[in-house]
Amino acid sequence: MLKQVTQRVWCLPWEEERDRPSLYYIRGDRRSLAVDAGSSPAHVAQFYAALEERGLPLPDFTAVTHWHWDHTFGLGAVQGVTLASALTNRKLRQVRAWEWTPEAMAQRERRGEDIPFCNEHIRREYPDLGAVSVSLAEMEVEGELTLHLGGVDCRLFCRDTPHSRDGLLVHVPQEGVLALGDADCEDLYQPGAGYDPARLRALLELLSSLEFSLALPGHSGPETRGQELEYLRGCLRGCAGC
């Protein structure tokens, strides 16, 4: 299941049925970093089993790209140090207080706190809703943070993205990759569930300024830099009023 992307980067590909996102792994000479914590302890276990099958050490660090359940509900099962933006942890504190019953989930949908798409896939991931457990990241990133893994550096930086206000991107210059999480996706929690042209334009400008060969999105396979930029340009052209 684990696919090698570059010499030092691997990917456990996304799964559509349960909306499990891709989980990425960067191996340095001394330490390793995982990008995103997955949707459940079972998702983390699948990821770790795939790493061990390849003879790769479990990650020393795990950075989550934003607060959405499919990227964070595995945090409690992660080994090593967990990192997230301060905004992500702030949102997770709210989510940690949520009740996980069909009635409570329906109420949150009516109030606009959560959406049917997420609740549908949460039920698929958790046949027993009582098993849902929400954890916070141990370390909070504000602004930027660089992890020196040995032979490779991972630059973590916070950005307001088209998908969520608490985005955390991971740039690995030596490998020419940029892990996006869901940064290039629509904001499903906003009225109309579309793109905000200003936020989309800001992401396009940011990515245009960065040197990378491959973009690593959360719910599709790796894209070349040209493919990713053209995708964002196309989304911007399609925005009403752009």
Side-chain angles (χ1 to χ4, degrees), residues 69-115:
W69 77 277
D70 50 323
H71 297 258
T72 59
F73 277 18
L75 270 170
V78 164
Q79 298 190 32
V81 178
T82 55
L83 305 97
S85 75
L87 288 177
T88 294
N89 257 2
R90 183 186 304 173
K91 183 63 180 182
L92 288 176
R93 288 186 183 93
Q94 298 175 17
V95 177
R96 190 168 57 173
W98 288 357
E99 294 183 14
W100 294 99
T101 65
E103 296 77 17
M105 294 168 77
Q107 288 177 359
R108 288 195 293 272
E109 284 185 26
R110 289 193 290 270
R111 293 195 297 262
E113 294 176 325
D114 214 340
I115 57 177

Side-chain angles (χ1 to χ4, degrees), residues 191-211:
Y195 283 104
D196 178 302
R199 292 160 68 186
L200 183 56
R201 189 176 293 107
L203 180 65
L204 177 58
E205 291 174 356
L206 171 64
L207 268 56
S208 297
S209 72
L210 294 174
E211 292 295 328

Side-chain angles (χ1 to χ4, degrees), residues 8 14 157:
R8 292 182 181 268
W14 69 293
F157 55 101

